């Protein structure tokens, strides 16, 4: 997962900071910059997905989550939001909205699979931010505003208050307080796989 700062031994520096921080919870938000790096290569979501997967993003993401959990067992992962839809996305070095939508679809399983396997919460900002509402974005279409920053803070607060780390199954949380939605990834997986829970 580049270009995260790393030591000579390959250890990501923020993980070392987490080790010494004494934090009780960790919120991991990664992947967005990895996608932005590929926009120079292609605007096709399938090609970008192929490039990122070939570069090892899926295994790197899974490894990062596991390493973070060793340092702080209460880990939440953040699924990125859709940038604001504007009339001139290229002005901000963004691809068209359809490309962004395709990437969100293509990479959703990377996040939900890890959340389910690791039994951790996932904050789904793609279902929380409204890409057509400028109030959800800051000075650029890729930065949260103070308003949407509070959406994130309220989702984190909701997870801390309601998710039992180490006991609950992986769960996706989305929406704006007080209307935060959640769904159990294990139940969803079993239903889609035709597995009987009994």
């Amino acid at each position: 997962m580049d270009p995260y700062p790393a030591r000579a031994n390959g250890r990501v520096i923020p993980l070392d900071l987490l080790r010494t921080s004494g934090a009780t919870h960790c919120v991991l938000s990664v992947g967005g910059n990895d996608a932005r790096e590929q926009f120079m290569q292609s605007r096709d979501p399938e090609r970008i997905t192929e490039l990122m997967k070939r570069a090892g993003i899926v295994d790197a993401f899974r490894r990062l989550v596991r390493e973070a959990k060793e340092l702080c067992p209460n880990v939440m992962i953040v699924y990125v939001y859709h940038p604001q839809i504007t009339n001139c996305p290229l002005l901000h070095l963004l691809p068209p909205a359809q490309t962004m939508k395709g990437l969100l679809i293509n990479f959703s399983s990377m996040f939900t699979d890890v959340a389910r396997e690791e039994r951790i919460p996932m904050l789904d900002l793609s279902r929380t931010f409204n890409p057509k509402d400028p109030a959800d974005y800051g000075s650029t279409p890729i930065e949260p505003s103070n308003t949407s920053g509070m959406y994130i803070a309220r989702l984190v607060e909701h997870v801390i208050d309601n998710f039992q780390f180490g006991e609950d199954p992986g769960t996706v949380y989305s929406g704006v307080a007080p209307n935060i939605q959640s769904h159990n990834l294990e139940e969803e997986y079993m239903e889609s796989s035709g597995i009987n829970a009994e």
Side-chain angles (χ1 to χ4, degrees), residues 25-104:
H25 294 77
C26 171
V27 181
L28 280 179
S29 177
V30 297
N33 288 334
D34 297 272
R36 288 185 67 204
E37 281 188 13
Q38 299 304 327
F39 297 157
M40 299 298 189
Q41 304 291 320
S42 177
R43 301 290 180 175
D44 174 40
E46 301 309 318
R47 175 75 177 133
I48 294 169
T49 301
E50 177 190 344
L51 290 168
M52 291 174 67
K53 287 187 174 179
R54 192 181 311 147
I57 191 169
V58 175
D59 290 337
F61 179 60
R62 183 171 274 115
R63 185 175 63 250
L64 180 63
V65 169
R66 288 179 179 158
E67 288 181 12
K69 279 183 70 181
E70 289 174 10
L71 303 174
C72 177
N74 302 332
V75 171
M76 306 171 216
I77 57 174
V78 176
Y79 187 51
V80 296
Y81 50 86
H82 193 301
Q84 180 185 0
I85 295 174
T86 69
N87 291 331
C88 357
L90 294 178
L91 181 65
H92 303 282
L93 303 177
L94 291 172
Q98 280 305 111
T99 299
M100 297 305 302
K101 182 178 177 183
L103 288 172
L104 286 170

Side-chain angles (χ1 to χ4, degrees), residues 101-120:
K101 182 178 177 183
L103 288 172
L104 286 170
I105 292 168
N106 290 352
F107 281 101
S108 64
S109 64
M110 179 176 91
F111 286 82
T112 56
D113 288 352
V114 168
R116 182 180 56 79
E117 292 163 8
E118 297 297 323
R119 300 177 63 87
I120 58 176

